[in-house]
Amino acid sequence: MLTTQTAFTLVNPQTGNLAFRLFSFDDNSNFDHLQRHNYYTVIWVTKGSGKLRWNFSEYDFETNTLLAFAIYQPFMVITDEPFEGVALNFHPDFFCIHKHDKEVSCHGVLFNNIYEPPFVRVDEHAATIFKMVLEQIKAEMQNPAIAQYELLISYLKIFLITAVRLKTEQQPSEQTILIDRKEPFILQNLKDAIEAHFKKKHSASDYADMLNISAKALAKLTKTHFNRTLTDMIAERIIIEAKRELYLTNKPVKEIAFELGYDDEYYFSRFFKNNADVSPQLYRDTVGAGRAVMA
């Protein structure tokens, strides 16, 4: 594995910004305050446990947990015990999960998944693969040669695909916590309804009406099983789509707002900033379309 506090960084020569980074840590100083980055972050906790604060929720995690966070997604780690691991950062200019989704399938699973906690438990088989890939990345970054970016992206894909497979395997077991036989159907119907209607229906009551359940009962279900309010889930789904459009297209913010059900561009911009901590224009300037793409 990487030696203590080792860091390897690639900078985009066209922008001067971070493109890709691999670093190890032996304490929580990197994550003990609120994080909001214009790149993706994957953290493999190899020693230690604690609490993860993410968006509007809090989760417990243990040793051998992989944490994954999308661009500008707020998170912080709280722990009072020894904390060690490895982190990967990559900007969408280096590797865009949207453009490569058919290859790695991590959008909506590892990243931008509003229905599951942003982590996966790492088993022995996955840990072996992660260690091998990280060592290959380290070696390549220590001794750069022809087609370095292409090789690093290949290693990153292996890492992400392994994590996606692991999380996909673990997701069905989460349904065992559901006691009432009707609840899985209601929750699945809720997921389907959000995916089908989030661009036009923005209130929790809209979905309660569609599912023929009281708003209070639905609120209790979402809080119990998703550890957040339905309003927060809907807002997050809208923001995910807005970020995708801001990155992949050159559409004016006004057009994106209208497609997401907002007639008032300025109201939408305030909504976006309240949930993403940056304005739509700043998000596009630091992440989105029109930038020189490395991969």
Side-chain angles (χ1 to χ4, degrees):
M1 291 294 291
L2 300 174
T3 56
T4 300
Q5 296 294 353
T6 303
F8 301 93
T9 304
L10 284 179
V11 174
N12 186 330
Q14 296 170 310
T15 65
N17 296 327
L18 173 75
F20 181 76
R21 177 168 58 202
L22 166 65
F23 70 94
S24 63
F25 53 87
D26 60 5
D27 60 39
N28 192 35
S29 59
N30 291 285
F31 315 112
D32 63 357
H33 51 289
L34 190 65
Q35 308 286 301
R36 284 184 186 268
H37 301 301
N38 67 337
Y39 46 75
Y40 295 95
T41 298
V42 179
I43 303 168
W44 179 18
V45 180
T46 58
K47 181 178 181 179
S49 61
K51 291 186 179 296
L52 168 67
R53 287 184 181 170
W54 168 72
N55 283 358
F56 308 100
S57 307
E58 187 172 285
Y59 300 93
D60 295 321
F61 69 87
E62 303 293 335
T63 295
N64 265 329
T65 297
L66 193 76
L67 313 174
F69 307 103
I71 297 168
Y72 284 119
Q73 192 169 50
F75 73 92
M76 67 180 293
V77 173
I78 303 168
T79 182
D80 56 3
E81 58 182 76
F83 189 68
E84 298 177 8
V86 185
L88 286 168
N89 304 133
F90 59 97
H91 192 279
D93 282 354
F94 179 80
F95 184 77
C96 174
I97 67 167
H98 296 293
K99 291 183 178 179
H100 297 273
D101 190 48
K102 290 184 179 180
E103 300 164 41
V104 295
S105 300
C106 58
H107 173 62
V109 180
L110 199 61
F111 302 102
N112 299 325
N113 183 344
I114 70 171
Y115 308 109
E116 301 287 340
F119 56 77
V120 56
R121 298 179 298 279
V122 179
D123 60 23
E124 187 175 346
H125 175 68
T128 300
I129 297 175
F130 289 157
K131 289 177 184 177
M132 176 189 68
V133 172
L134 292 171
E135 288 298 335
Q136 293 293 331
I137 291 174
K138 174 186 173 183
E140 183 63 25
M141 295 187 76
Q142 285 179 313
N143 301 286
I146 294 173
Q148 182 192 41
Y149 285 118
E150 287 74 12
L151 194 55
L152 288 174
I153 288 169
S154 295
Y155 292 141
L156 179 59
K157 285 181 180 179
I158 294 171
F159 192 98
L160 294 176
I161 289 170
T162 301
V164 167
R165 288 178 175 178
L166 196 60
K167 185 157 189 174
T168 302
E169 290 170 1
Q170 293 176 8
Q171 281 179 346
S173 64
E174 301 297 329
Q175 297 302 324
T176 59
I177 66 172
L178 301 173
I179 299 173
D180 187 331
R181 286 173 175 258
K182 295 180 181 179
E183 289 181 10
F185 300 102
I186 293 174
L187 294 176
Q188 186 56 55
N189 288 341
L190 174 61
K191 292 180 184 179
D192 293 341
I194 292 174
E195 293 305 312
H197 301 289
F198 73 89
K199 293 182 180 180
K200 297 300 179 184
K201 296 185 181 298
H202 300 163
S203 72
S205 61
D206 288 334
Y207 294 91
D209 291 342
M210 276 190 283
L211 298 176
N212 196 26
I213 183 175
S214 72
K216 184 176 181 180
L218 186 58
K220 184 177 180 181
L221 277 176
T222 54
K223 187 65 177 177
T224 298
H225 299 294
F226 298 126
N227 197 25
R228 74 190 81 172
T229 69
L230 178 53
T231 299
D232 290 339
M233 291 171 63
I234 297 166
E236 186 178 351
R237 185 63 185 88
I238 295 168
I239 293 299
I240 287 171
E241 186 66 15
K243 288 178 176 179
R244 190 185 72 84
E245 289 291 316
L246 288 166
Y247 178 76
L248 291 178
T249 76
N250 284 307
K251 295 176 184 176
V253 173
K254 182 177 182 179
E255 182 178 346
I256 295 173
F258 182 76
E259 290 177 354
L260 291 173
Y262 295 90
D263 294 328
D264 187 336
E265 174 189 352
Y266 301 102
Y267 178 86
F268 169 76
S269 293
R270 290 194 299 272
F271 168 80
F272 186 95
K273 187 171 184 178
N274 286 339
N275 285 275
D277 202 44
V278 292
S279 68
Q281 189 58 53
L282 181 58
Y283 184 89
R284 172 166 277 168
D285 291 343
T286 57
V287 176
R291 296 170 55 84
V293 178
M294 301 171 64

Short mmCIF file of all heavy atoms in Angstrom, two decimals, residues 121-142:
data_model
loop_
_atom_site.label_atom_id
_atom_site.label_comp_id
_atom_site.label_asym_id
_atom_site.label_seq_id
_atom_site.Cartn_x
_atom_site.Cartn_y
_atom_site.Cartn_z
N ARG A 121 -19.42 -1.39 1.65
CA ARG A 121 -18.54 -2.19 2.49
C ARG A 121 -17.57 -2.96 1.60
O ARG A 121 -17.98 -3.62 0.65
CB ARG A 121 -19.35 -3.15 3.36
CG ARG A 121 -20.29 -2.44 4.32
CD ARG A 121 -21.10 -3.43 5.16
NE ARG A 121 -21.95 -4.28 4.33
CZ ARG A 121 -23.14 -3.90 3.87
NH1 ARG A 121 -23.61 -2.70 4.13
NH2 ARG A 121 -23.87 -4.73 3.12
N VAL A 122 -16.30 -2.88 1.91
CA VAL A 122 -15.27 -3.51 1.08
C VAL A 122 -14.93 -4.89 1.61
O VAL A 122 -14.47 -5.03 2.75
CB VAL A 122 -13.99 -2.64 1.05
CG1 VAL A 122 -12.91 -3.30 0.19
CG2 VAL A 122 -14.33 -1.24 0.52
N ASP A 123 -15.16 -5.93 0.80
CA ASP A 123 -14.83 -7.29 1.22
C ASP A 123 -13.39 -7.62 0.83
O ASP A 123 -12.68 -6.81 0.20
CB ASP A 123 -15.82 -8.31 0.64
CG ASP A 123 -15.84 -8.32 -0.89
OD1 ASP A 123 -14.84 -7.89 -1.51
OD2 ASP A 123 -16.86 -8.75 -1.46
N GLU A 124 -12.94 -8.81 1.18
CA GLU A 124 -11.54 -9.19 0.97
C GLU A 124 -11.18 -9.22 -0.51
O GLU A 124 -10.09 -8.79 -0.90
CB GLU A 124 -11.30 -10.57 1.60
CG GLU A 124 -9.84 -11.00 1.58
CD GLU A 124 -9.61 -12.31 2.32
OE1 GLU A 124 -10.52 -12.74 3.06
OE2 GLU A 124 -8.52 -12.89 2.15
N HIS A 125 -12.08 -9.71 -1.34
CA HIS A 125 -11.81 -9.80 -2.78
C HIS A 125 -11.64 -8.40 -3.37
O HIS A 125 -10.68 -8.15 -4.13
CB HIS A 125 -12.96 -10.53 -3.48
CG HIS A 125 -12.82 -10.56 -4.97
ND1 HIS A 125 -11.83 -11.27 -5.62
CD2 HIS A 125 -13.55 -9.94 -5.96
CE1 HIS A 125 -11.96 -11.11 -6.93
NE2 HIS A 125 -12.98 -10.31 -7.16
N ALA A 126 -12.56 -7.49 -3.05
CA ALA A 126 -12.47 -6.13 -3.57
C ALA A 126 -11.23 -5.43 -3.04
O ALA A 126 -10.57 -4.67 -3.77
CB ALA A 126 -13.72 -5.34 -3.20
N ALA A 127 -10.90 -5.66 -1.76
CA ALA A 127 -9.71 -5.03 -1.17
C ALA A 127 -8.45 -5.43 -1.92
O ALA A 127 -7.55 -4.61 -2.16
CB ALA A 127 -9.59 -5.43 0.30
N THR A 128 -8.38 -6.69 -2.35
CA THR A 128 -7.22 -7.17 -3.12
C THR A 128 -7.11 -6.42 -4.45
O THR A 128 -6.02 -6.00 -4.85
CB THR A 128 -7.33 -8.68 -3.37
OG1 THR A 128 -7.36 -9.37 -2.12
CG2 THR A 128 -6.14 -9.18 -4.18
N ILE A 129 -8.24 -6.24 -5.11
CA ILE A 129 -8.25 -5.52 -6.39
C ILE A 129 -7.87 -4.07 -6.18
O ILE A 129 -7.06 -3.50 -6.93
CB ILE A 129 -9.63 -5.63 -7.06
CG1 ILE A 129 -9.93 -7.09 -7.41
CG2 ILE A 129 -9.69 -4.76 -8.32
CD1 ILE A 129 -11.33 -7.31 -7.96
N PHE A 130 -8.47 -3.43 -5.16
CA PHE A 130 -8.17 -2.02 -4.89
C PHE A 130 -6.67 -1.82 -4.63
O PHE A 130 -6.06 -0.88 -5.16
CB PHE A 130 -8.97 -1.53 -3.69
CG PHE A 130 -10.45 -1.37 -3.95
CD1 PHE A 130 -11.36 -1.40 -2.91
CD2 PHE A 130 -10.93 -1.20 -5.24
CE1 PHE A 130 -12.72 -1.25 -3.15
CE2 PHE A 130 -12.29 -1.05 -5.49
CZ PHE A 130 -13.18 -1.07 -4.44
N LYS A 131 -6.08 -2.69 -3.81
CA LYS A 131 -4.66 -2.57 -3.50
C LYS A 131 -3.82 -2.68 -4.77
O LYS A 131 -2.89 -1.90 -4.98
CB LYS A 131 -4.24 -3.66 -2.51
CG LYS A 131 -4.78 -3.46 -1.10
CD LYS A 131 -4.38 -4.63 -0.21
CE LYS A 131 -4.98 -4.50 1.17
NZ LYS A 131 -4.67 -5.66 2.03
N MET A 132 -4.15 -3.64 -5.61
CA MET A 132 -3.40 -3.85 -6.85
C MET A 132 -3.50 -2.62 -7.76
O MET A 132 -2.48 -2.14 -8.28
CB MET A 132 -3.93 -5.08 -7.58
CG MET A 132 -3.27 -5.34 -8.93
SD MET A 132 -4.10 -6.64 -9.85
CE MET A 132 -5.68 -5.83 -10.23
N VAL A 133 -4.72 -2.11 -7.93
CA VAL A 133 -4.93 -0.97 -8.81
C VAL A 133 -4.23 0.27 -8.28
O VAL A 133 -3.59 1.02 -9.03
CB VAL A 133 -6.44 -0.70 -8.99
CG1 VAL A 133 -6.67 0.61 -9.74
CG2 VAL A 133 -7.11 -1.85 -9.74
N LEU A 134 -4.32 0.50 -6.98
CA LEU A 134 -3.69 1.68 -6.39
C LEU A 134 -2.17 1.62 -6.53
O LEU A 134 -1.52 2.66 -6.75
CB LEU A 134 -4.09 1.81 -4.92
CG LEU A 134 -5.57 2.16 -4.68
CD1 LEU A 134 -5.91 2.06 -3.20
CD2 LEU A 134 -5.90 3.55 -5.20
N GLU A 135 -1.60 0.44 -6.40
CA GLU A 135 -0.16 0.31 -6.59
C GLU A 135 0.23 0.59 -8.04
O GLU A 135 1.27 1.18 -8.32
CB GLU A 135 0.31 -1.09 -6.17
CG GLU A 135 0.30 -1.32 -4.66
CD GLU A 135 1.24 -0.39 -3.91
OE1 GLU A 135 2.24 0.10 -4.51
OE2 GLU A 135 0.99 -0.13 -2.71
N GLN A 136 -0.61 0.17 -8.98
CA GLN A 136 -0.35 0.43 -10.39
C GLN A 136 -0.43 1.94 -10.68
O GLN A 136 0.38 2.48 -11.43
CB GLN A 136 -1.35 -0.33 -11.26
CG GLN A 136 -1.20 -1.84 -11.22
CD GLN A 136 0.10 -2.32 -11.85
OE1 GLN A 136 0.63 -1.68 -12.75
NE2 GLN A 136 0.62 -3.44 -11.39
N ILE A 137 -1.43 2.59 -10.09
CA ILE A 137 -1.56 4.04 -10.25
C ILE A 137 -0.34 4.75 -9.68
O ILE A 137 0.23 5.65 -10.31
CB ILE A 137 -2.85 4.55 -9.56
CG1 ILE A 137 -4.08 4.04 -10.31
CG2 ILE A 137 -2.85 6.08 -9.49
CD1 ILE A 137 -5.40 4.38 -9.63
N LYS A 138 0.06 4.33 -8.49
CA LYS A 138 1.24 4.93 -7.85
C LYS A 138 2.48 4.78 -8.73
O LYS A 138 3.22 5.74 -8.96
CB LYS A 138 1.47 4.26 -6.50
CG LYS A 138 2.75 4.69 -5.80
CD LYS A 138 2.97 3.87 -4.54
CE LYS A 138 4.33 4.16 -3.92
NZ LYS A 138 4.60 3.31 -2.74
N ALA A 139 2.69 3.57 -9.26
CA ALA A 139 3.87 3.32 -10.10
C ALA A 139 3.84 4.18 -11.36
O ALA A 139 4.87 4.73 -11.77
CB ALA A 139 3.92 1.83 -10.45
N GLU A 140 2.65 4.30 -11.97
CA GLU A 140 2.53 5.10 -13.19
C GLU A 140 2.78 6.58 -12.93
O GLU A 140 3.40 7.27 -13.74
CB GLU A 140 1.15 4.89 -13.81
CG GLU A 140 0.93 5.62 -15.12
CD GLU A 140 1.85 5.14 -16.23
OE1 GLU A 140 2.33 3.98 -16.17
OE2 GLU A 140 2.11 5.93 -17.17
N MET A 141 2.33 7.07 -11.80
CA MET A 141 2.50 8.48 -11.49
C MET A 141 3.93 8.79 -11.05
O MET A 141 4.39 9.93 -11.19
CB MET A 141 1.48 8.92 -10.43
CG MET A 141 0.05 8.82 -10.93
SD MET A 141 -1.19 9.51 -9.82
CE MET A 141 -0.97 11.27 -10.09
N GLN A 142 4.63 7.80 -10.54
CA GLN A 142 6.03 7.98 -10.18
C GLN A 142 6.93 7.96 -11.42
O GLN A 142 7.99 8.59 -11.44
CB GLN A 142 6.49 6.90 -9.20
CG GLN A 142 5.97 7.09 -7.78
CD GLN A 142 6.44 5.98 -6.86
OE1 GLN A 142 6.37 4.80 -7.20
NE2 GLN A 142 6.92 6.35 -5.68
#
